[in-house]
Amino acid sequence: MRRLVALVLVIAWGTAHADENRLLARARAEVAALELDAAARTLEEALAAGTTSPAGPHAIYLLQGEVAASMGNVAAAEQHFRRALTLVPTA
């Protein structure tokens, strides 16, 4: 029974992690295509997908900061960068 529970948890984490990576990749492509509004929505979706590692949200917050800054929203950009630094202070 414990093995089954462990397997289910591993599969669930892998699925969430894959979704997050897919969404982050899509957001990066949208940024490259200068589709900033779409990228902002995709990044919110990626955050909502969740993760168990700080690396995922850190990358999302950094890209959110870049998107917000590119859109001229300095206050939001600062907020996203601060969140990223909270997760990885040495970044």
Side-chain angles (χ1 to χ4, degrees):
M1 183 66 170
R2 285 184 183 176
R3 287 184 182 174
L4 178 60
V5 170
L7 178 61
V8 169
L9 290 175
V10 167
I11 290 170
W13 180 84
T15 302
H17 189 67
D19 286 346
E20 179 183 278
N21 288 339
R22 177 185 53 80
L23 291 168
L24 188 55
R26 186 171 89 199
R28 286 182 175 139
E30 290 165 344
V31 168
L34 299 178
E35 299 170 358
L36 300 179
D37 288 326
R41 286 189 301 274
T42 301
L43 290 165
E44 285 298 323
E45 186 180 344
L47 276 177
T51 185
T52 58
S53 100
H58 179 258
I60 293 168
Y61 287 136
L62 284 177
L63 191 53
Q64 279 184 314
E66 293 173 22
V67 168
S70 296
M71 295 173 77
N73 191 342
V74 176
E78 184 178 331
Q79 181 182 26
H80 294 307
F81 290 135
R82 286 184 188 278
R83 286 180 178 157
L85 284 172
T86 298
L87 292 174
V88 183
T90 58

